[in-house]
Amino acid sequence: MDSTNPKKDGLPSESEVARYLRNHPGFFLNNEDILSELKLTHQTGKVVNLADRQVEILRERNMDMRNRLSKLLDNATRNDQLFERSKKLILSLIEAKRAEELSNNLCRSLVNDFDDIDYASLILFADPNRVGSSVLRVVSPEQAQQQIGSLLRGNKAICGVLRGEELSFLFGQHADHIGSAALMPIQAGNIDGVIAIASKNPQHFKSSMGTLFLEYIAEVVNRCLPKLMKGPFL
């Protein structure tokens, strides 16, 4: 006998009834008259019979499943869009004929094709006099270390709110309009550098967000850019 739910007048306990019904799920198929007489109290206080309550539970579960399916479809759509945009970006990097073209394609695609990316830049750390490009942004390693050295120590992607001087170095005149940013160090051949992206939204880039996409783009740049660069530093 269930000590927490003792029998009364020789009747089975509630736990015994529950156990019986679980072991005999078809019980009410042969006892429909009992099913129609059972009453349950709804959350609103209204008394309903068991059949109505079962229908209501199934309806609620159906709505929950529809909501979950809708979210899965939305995620699938976003993933498809991200794949297509990423493919377009990667192809533009592979097809670039000059380093300046690669840089322009990279920044233009990141800003135009991806949500909440308002600014993007590619900066290489080398001797500007030896690179000889008026379009590709190149700064000395000493200057980069002085301006954003703390962001480069771990040699990994960083997301969040950056300091004003860091934003000025990475994005120039756009620094005052930036709410949050992310950057990924690169090593194109023997030249270090950084890819930086930013959003006007202070909440968009957070330290907790994943950086797989940015790391993937950096890997492509690492492989494509050295082929387009010329000079004794490579």
Side-chain angles (χ1 to χ4, degrees):
M1 183 183 299
D2 189 344
S3 59
T4 61
N5 192 13
K7 295 181 179 180
K8 297 180 180 179
D9 301 326
L11 298 176
S13 66
E14 291 182 4
S15 61
E16 289 175 328
V17 174
R19 188 182 308 112
Y20 179 84
L21 292 176
R22 289 193 183 98
N23 293 332
H24 301 80
F27 173 80
F28 288 110
L29 294 176
N30 300 320
N31 298 273
E32 294 184 357
D33 55 329
I34 298 178
L35 181 64
S36 62
E37 295 175 4
L38 293 177
K39 303 295 180 181
L40 298 174
T41 302
H42 190 263
Q43 292 178 351
T44 61
K46 179 181 177 181
V47 177
V48 296
N49 65 40
L50 181 60
D52 290 340
R53 180 55 179 154
Q54 286 179 320
V55 171
E56 185 176 355
I57 290 175
L58 290 175
R59 184 182 297 113
E60 292 173 352
R61 290 179 178 175
N62 184 42
M63 291 179 62
D64 180 61
M65 292 301 296
R66 286 186 177 182
N67 289 334
R68 294 185 182 184
L69 179 60
S70 178
K71 291 180 180 179
L72 288 175
L73 292 175
D74 288 342
N75 288 335
T77 299
R78 285 193 293 269
N79 288 336
D80 286 342
Q81 293 173 345
L82 179 60
F83 173 78
E84 290 299 326
R85 294 169 183 175
S86 300
K87 182 176 72 172
K88 177 183 175 182
L89 169 58
I90 299 306
L91 290 176
S92 73
L93 299 180
I94 295 174
E95 294 169 355
K97 299 297 188 297
R98 302 184 311 278
E100 294 89 342
E101 184 181 357
L102 181 144
S103 178
N104 289 338
N105 290 348
L106 172 67
C107 296
R108 182 171 56 249
S109 179
L110 287 172
V111 172
N112 294 338
D113 298 335
F114 295 88
D115 298 335
D116 291 318
I117 297 181
D118 300 306
Y119 307 102
S121 66
L122 170 63
I123 308 173
L124 300 182
F125 308 153
D127 184 348
N129 296 323
R130 299 173 70 180
V131 175
S133 171
S134 60
V135 179
L136 191 65
R137 185 178 176 195
V138 181
V139 301
S140 68
E142 294 76 18
Q143 182 182 0
Q145 195 62 226
Q146 181 181 3
Q147 297 292 329
I148 59 171
S150 61
L151 303 179
L152 304 173
R153 289 173 185 166
N155 197 33
K156 61 182 180 180
I158 292 179
C159 303
V161 178
L162 306 184
R163 295 180 298 177
E165 57 269 27
E166 294 169 339
L167 292 174
S168 296
F169 174 80
L170 295 170
F171 302 102
Q173 61 184 357
H174 304 298
D176 293 339
H177 306 293
I178 294 174
S180 59
L183 76 157
M184 179 68 202
I186 62 172
Q187 188 172 23
N190 292 329
I191 300 181
D192 292 333
V194 66
I195 298 172
I197 54 179
S199 172
K200 296 177 181 178
N201 180 3
Q203 301 299 320
H204 182 65
F205 291 108
K206 300 179 179 179
S207 59
S208 59
M209 73 184 305
T211 58
L212 182 61
F213 170 74
L214 198 54
E215 293 170 3
Y216 174 54
I217 298 303
E219 286 294 327
V220 177
V221 172
N222 287 342
R223 285 162 173 75
C224 292
L225 190 56
K227 301 175 184 178
L228 308 177
M229 301 287 290
K230 295 180 180 180
F233 46 80
L234 288 180

